[in-house]
Each structure stands twice: as C-alpha cells, then as structure tokens.
Amino acid sequence: MDRAVLEVDRICVSLGGREILRDVSLDVQSGEIFGIVGGSGSGKSVLLRTILGLTPRASGNIRVLGTGIDSGEEQWRHTQRRMGVLFQQGGLFSSLSVKENIQVPMRELCSLPVGLMDAMTDTKLSMVGLGASDASKAPSELSGGMVKRAALARALALDPQIVFLDEPTSGLDPIASGAFDDLILTLRNSLGFAVFMITHDVESLRTVCDRAALLAHGRVVAIDTVPALASSRVEEVQSYFHRRSKFSPATRSIH
Amino acid sequence: MGEIVRDDAAARPRPGNDNGAAQTVTLVASGAWTLNELPDLEMIEAQSASAPGRSIVIDAAQLTAMDTFGAQTLVSLRRRLRAAGHAADIAGLPEKHARLLTFIGAIAPVDPSEPEKAYDRGLVTRVSASVLCGRDEVLSLLNTLGRLAYALANVAVSPKSFRVTSLVHQLDRAGLQAVPIIALITLLIGSIIAQQGFFHFRKFGADEYVVDMVGILVLREIGVLIVAIMVAGRSGSAYTAELGSMKLRDEIDSLSTMGLDPLEVLALPRVLALIIALPLLTFLGSIAALSGGVLTGWLYGNMHPEVFITRLKDAISLTHFEVGMIKAPFMALVIGTVACAEGLRASGSSESVGRQTTSSVVKSIFAVIVLDGLFAVFFAAIGM
C-alpha cells in the first residue's frame, strides 16, 4: 500500500506572468484518498490541471503511476488510460447518452466484445448508484448529482489506478454529498484505486480522506493525515478548519 | 494473459453416484483476468454446455490479477453456466479478488429484454413526428414575431428602455462589416449577368437590351435576393449561434429572472439592426452589380460606360428601384425573426446549437425566396 502512484516534485506554475503555484510537492500512495483543500484562488484547480498535463508548468517534476509527464507522448497516453478524471461540471459529452458516454473510453481505447461492454456499462452504472433507466438519458436530462455519478462511472470505465476528482461534492445538497462521499469510500475499498480529490467541503474531507494538503497562495502550507491537520497549530490550517467547522455539530455540542 | 481451460484430469465421478454423466467438471482459470487480457469464453462454454446438469467448479486459485472486467467476465460465466442448467461455482479465489467478485456479483444483471429508447420508429411515426415538428416550428416563429412586436410596442411607449448601444453595435456587425464582401459578390454577379447577356444577345444583334436586362433584374430581384441570402448566412447564423449558446449557459434564463424580456434585450436590437442594414446593403449591392454590368460592357461588350448609363436611364424607372427596396426590410424581418427564434430553441447539447444554426440559415433562405415570390405576385397585381 505504500507505493507512490502520484509524485509531484517542486512544481512551479505561472499564468499570464503571475505565479500561481510555487514549489508544490506532494505524493499520493497506492489505495490512498488524498485531499487538497484551500480557499478560492489558492491554486487547487491549477494544480490538478498541471498534474493532468492540461496546464504547462515552469519547473518541477510530475510522475503518475511511475511515468514522468515528460516521458514522451506515447508513454504518457498509455498512463492516461490508467487514470480517471471527474471534472467539476462532469464534462459529459452532451450529444451522447449516459451509456454512450461510459462506453467512449471502452470503445476508443480497447477492443471489447459488445456484450461485455454492455454488461460493464450496467455494472459501472450500478456501482455509482444509477439505474438502467438512466442509461439512455441525455446528460441534460440528469440532475446535478446524477451528472456527477454518471461522470464518475465514465471516469471508472477502464478500472483506473488513480482517480482525480475536482470538487466532487460541490453543488450537491448535504445528503447527496454525504452519499457521494460514501460511494467514493465504498468504491475505493472494493476496487483499491487511489484518489486525488480537490474539495471545499471540510465535512467531506474528514469523512473520506486519509491525508490532505492545505494550499494557500500557491504553496503547500501543511500536509498530513486529516486528524493531525485538524489539530495543527499552523495558523492558516487552524483558521481554515476553525472557520469552516464553526457550525459543525461537534462545536455546537460544547454550548 | 488470462486463460481458462477444462481440467480433464480432475474430472471424476461424484462420490456416491455411479452415473458417469453427472460428474464434476473443473475449469481452471489462471493468469491475469484484466482489461485487454480477458480469456475467450466461447470455447469453454461450448464444451461445458454439451451436457446439462453437470456440477462445474471454476478453480480460480491461480488467478494472478483481476479487475472489474475480469470479475464481470467470471460472474457472467457462472451466471450463464447456471442458466444452462449446471451447478456452477467459483472456488479458491484469493481473498482480495473474492471481495471484488462479491461486489460485482451483488450487482444484479440488467434484464436484456428491457426495451431501449425507441430509436427504431416506423415510417408513419417519423412522418407524423416531423409534421408535428413543422407545426411547432411555425408556431414558435409566429410566437417570436408576436413577442418582438410586443417588445417593440414596449420600447415605443418608453423609448428610454431601448438599447441604442446594442443597436449601433449590431448595425456595425451586420451592416458596416458586411459592406466589402457584399459589394464584391454583387459586383461579380452583375458582371456575370452582363457577360452572359452580351454573349447570347449578340447573336440576335440585341446588345443594347443587355442594359435593360441587367438594370431591371438587378434592381427588382437579384440585388435584394443576393444580399438577403448573404445576410442570412452571415448575420442570421451568427445570431442563432450566439443566442443558442447563451440559452445553454442559462444566460437567457438569468435575464428572465431579472425581470427583463430576453427578446427585448437581445433579439429586438438585432432584428432592428437587420431591418435598417438590409435596405442599405441592398442599395449598395445594386449599385455594385450595376457597376459590374458597366464594367463588363466596357471591357467585354464594346459598350462605352456613357452609352451604358444613358441607356440605363431610359431602361429603368424609379418603380424598379422601389420594388427592390420595399422588399428589403421585410426580408430582414424574416431573417432576424427566424434566427432569433431558432437560437432560443436550442437546448441540451452543444450539438443542438449547430443544428439550430443550420436550420436557421436554411429556413431563412427558404423564407426569403418564398417572400420574394409572394412580392412578385403582389407587385404584378398592383401593376408595379
């Protein structure tokens, strides 16, 4: 379980002449759920996009599943097939049905018999808690939570070894977001993939993540297990956890 | 590579049963049962299906790796063997794979008989659906036209609410920026008509009638028609795509919830800009086409420009010019209304924006030609 599936080594990113990320280093171990927290504009999404190779970096190294991001297009593409990404808005192809969306990676990247592909689509849909009746729906017919589930099913289509989630519970009500957290935990426990997730939701962080890093002004302020972070004395960490957990049941019970 | 073979050595009579047919068959699964390395199950199923009622054990102790695809394949194999009347079971699976298998196995198979969304519709259904769709489209066009008239009335009552900046901006886009291409195309068309005229009329010694033909044709029909078609392709399509993508991004709904009428804010300035720009472009286009005629006459038809223009003065009257110009604002109204109505009909996917844009251009060109025909009948009836 202690094999690093993601290694980020001192990366710096500048966009439009402004430094967004400075010397960010972190690593995610196999089977681990790693959270990135931080205020708006702290560079979380840029970090994710840089790791995915969508935003160019000024310096530093990134290795995903042992492959360096610079190790040639062919090799990186091969690694990309073992990664799953859930974008904040889902990123489902609007002109395809949910079923076709899930089958895109299966169809394009492997040669599977149609029967198995259909069975796997149903399996992936059931895994994320969607029914067979949702399979033929267009993404525009789904609710926000269902879009996230369908997009997760697509991200999991090829059994990735690491899954990147960009604010998976944003825009969901507390019940739906709790259910989504449970779903990610259950899937991780049964399928054993690693998760790199960006979140704003402290509750979700406490429930799901094994370890987390706090990002502020483009730098990693703290990186530790979630309970250790919650009791950290670093000012930024304290203010982040304190401010966000002011209304949590634990604090309320003190009164 | 994942494999599954029938272990004939392990085939043995069931204890306490002398019947040789009811023996236990062992299928040995080995290797990596993962995506891209899945074993071919057809063969082994064909073998096992030969005599129903057997007890089949799938020995999975030698599996080195398994993912959800492998688990699904194993579960489907067991399910299909059981469906074929065998007592099938999976044995010896390593602990970590067993958990995954239980997880996948717990997911109930979807009933394959469940009908897909009805894509395969009969001819009658399709025809009736398209007729209904056509009716809806006409209604939506009339609806947009009505709402535009209402918005115009609102603006007339309180002129302060009219968005002059937007109108000027749209006039610049649909009018001023279109001038070079419209002038060029109409000049070319005018030249071509004149060239064809000189080429064919010369055989009858009727060279000078080319001027009459070019003058009347350009002023009454070609000028306005070419310009309207170009504006439909250039500005109408842009309007549809703009409004369509705004609709998809909830921008139209945002306007509505702010208590603003999207048609008044977005469509009215665009349609009015077209109504102002199209007659001006038509005038410009007609002049350019006549210039093309003059140019061809001079270079190709041995007709001096002065002669051409003198002849033109005799050949055409103000009526011909009026006929062309009267049509222009109506065509602009049709193009603008169709473009805005189609844009607001976009929904769901980005593909629909493309579909509505195509449909907007096709419909407005069709409508412009139909309108031109109606005007021809009308002008003939009133003797213009």
Side-chain angles (χ1 to χ4, degrees), chain A residues 94-95 99 106 110 112 116 119-120 122-124 126-127 132 136 140-141 157-159 186-187 189-191, chain B residues 35-36 38 67-69 72-73 76 96 99-100 103-104 107-108 110 114 116-117 119 347-351:
Chain A
S94 55
S95 53
K99 177 181 171 180
M106 299 185 196
C110 340
L112 293 172
L116 179 62
M120 283 316 291
D122 295 333
T123 305
K124 303 284 170 183
S126 313
M127 269 160 62
S136 55
S140 55
E141 294 173 289
L158 295 184
D159 279 0
T186 313
L187 289 177
N189 292 342
S190 16
L191 304 177
Chain B
L35 178 65
N36 292 335
L38 295 173
D67 61 4
T68 55
F69 288 83
Q72 178 70 51
T73 310
S76 321
K96 58 177 177 174
R99 217 168 41 188
L100 181 59
F103 182 75
I104 296 291
I107 295 166
V110 177
E114 191 172 323
E116 287 265 309
K117 213 175 182 180
Y119 283 115
S347 65
S349 65
S350 42
E351 193 189 342

Side-chain angles (χ1 to χ4, degrees), chain B residues 9-317:
Chain B
R12 58 193 183 278
R14 214 185 250 176
N17 191 340
D18 297 332
N19 190 347
Q23 54 185 199
T24 302
V25 175
T26 306
L27 301 176
V28 181
S30 60
W33 280 48
T34 54
L35 178 65
N36 292 335
E37 298 196 38
L38 295 173
D40 182 16
L41 295 183
E42 300 299 324
M43 285 277 289
I44 200 76
E45 259 190 275
Q47 285 179 25
S48 325
S50 54
R54 283 188 171 181
S55 172
I56 298 179
V57 174
I58 304 168
D59 179 7
Q62 293 173 41
L63 278 191
T64 54
M66 186 171 81
D67 61 4
T68 55
F69 288 83
Q72 178 70 51
T73 310
L74 211 51
V75 168
S76 321
L77 177 66
R78 181 177 62 186
R79 203 172 277 149
R80 276 148 73 171
L81 287 174
R82 282 180 182 169
H86 304 292
D89 247 318
I90 299 167
L93 199 63
E95 168 60 23
K96 58 177 177 174
H97 299 328
R99 217 168 41 188
L100 181 59
L101 193 80
T102 317
F103 182 75
I104 296 291
I107 295 166
V110 177
D111 183 7
S113 64
E114 191 172 323
E116 287 265 309
K117 213 175 182 180
Y119 283 115
D120 184 28
R121 289 177 294 183
L123 183 69
V124 176
T125 326
R126 279 203 302 259
V127 168
S128 56
S130 68
V131 167
L132 289 176
C133 183
R135 187 199 63 177
D136 287 350
E137 281 173 11
V138 170
L139 286 180
S140 113
L141 194 68
L142 289 177
N143 180 27
T144 311
L145 200 61
R147 284 169 63 194
L148 272 174
Y150 178 72
L152 189 66
N154 269 345
V155 165
V157 171
S158 55
K160 271 189 175 176
S161 67
F162 184 61
R163 283 151 187 85
V164 180
T165 325
S166 175
L167 176 73
V168 173
H169 176 67
Q170 297 300 335
L171 263 177
D172 176 48
R173 285 180 56 201
L176 201 57
Q177 291 180 19
V179 166
I181 187 67
I182 294 227
L184 179 68
I185 299 280
T186 45
L187 180 91
L188 290 175
I189 300 234
S191 309
I192 294 167
I193 292 172
Q195 187 271 335
Q196 288 293 304
F198 280 115
F199 182 75
H200 291 284
F201 284 19
R202 189 168 287 161
K203 294 173 194 163
F204 315 105
D207 283 27
E208 56 196 60
Y209 288 103
V210 172
V211 181
D212 299 57
M213 183 187 75
V214 171
I216 294 172
L217 202 56
V218 163
L219 290 181
R220 289 188 76 109
E221 296 293 335
I222 297 291
V224 65
L225 213 51
I226 293 293
V227 171
I229 288 172
M230 287 205 57
V231 165
R234 194 182 169 278
S235 307
S237 60
Y239 289 178
T240 308
E242 273 168 25
L243 295 182
S245 42
M246 286 179 83
K247 176 92 187 295
L248 290 197
R249 288 196 219 146
D250 296 338
E251 291 173 45
I252 306 277
D253 293 342
S254 312
L255 278 173
S256 305
T257 50
M258 286 173 202
L260 297 166
D261 178 8
L263 267 115
E264 188 184 317
V265 178
L266 300 169
L268 191 61
R270 286 176 164 79
V271 175
L272 282 182
L274 277 192
I275 291 178
I276 297 171
L278 195 61
L280 294 175
L281 289 173
T282 302
F283 177 72
L284 185 93
S286 303
I287 300 296
L290 291 178
S291 313
V294 172
L295 211 61
T296 312
W298 191 23
L299 299 175
Y300 177 81
N302 298 323
M303 187 181 273
H304 195 270
E306 247 176 61
V307 180
F308 194 107
I309 289 167
T310 315
R311 174 83 203 166
L312 192 64
K313 274 183 188 163
D314 297 335
I316 59 173
S317 65

Side-chain angles (χ1 to χ4, degrees), chain A residues 140-241:
Chain A
S140 55
E141 294 173 289
L142 302 178
S143 71
M146 284 161 84
V147 166
K148 300 236 165 178
R149 282 165 185 267
L152 182 64
R154 189 181 67 179
L156 297 178
L158 295 184
D159 279 0
Q161 282 164 281
I162 179 162
V163 180
F164 296 90
L165 310 173
D166 190 359
E167 301 194 17
T169 55
S170 73
L172 300 185
D173 65 78
I175 297 168
S177 92
F180 203 88
D181 288 342
D182 291 344
L183 172 68
I184 289 169
L185 267 179
T186 313
L187 289 177
R188 192 277 306 258
N189 292 342
S190 16
L191 304 177
F193 50 68
V195 177
F196 178 89
M197 68 188 275
I198 290 178
T199 183
H200 264 309
D201 189 345
V202 175
E203 212 46 57
S204 161
L205 185 78
R206 287 181 201 272
T207 326
V208 180
C209 295
D210 303 315
R211 281 195 311 144
L214 177 75
L215 222 59
H217 310 297
R219 306 189 67 156
V220 174
V221 179
I223 180 163
D224 213 331
T225 59
V226 177
L229 275 182
S231 58
S232 163
R233 292 190 178 174
V234 179
E235 196 186 330
E236 278 106 333
V237 185
Q238 256 187 347
S239 73
Y240 190 84
F241 274 82

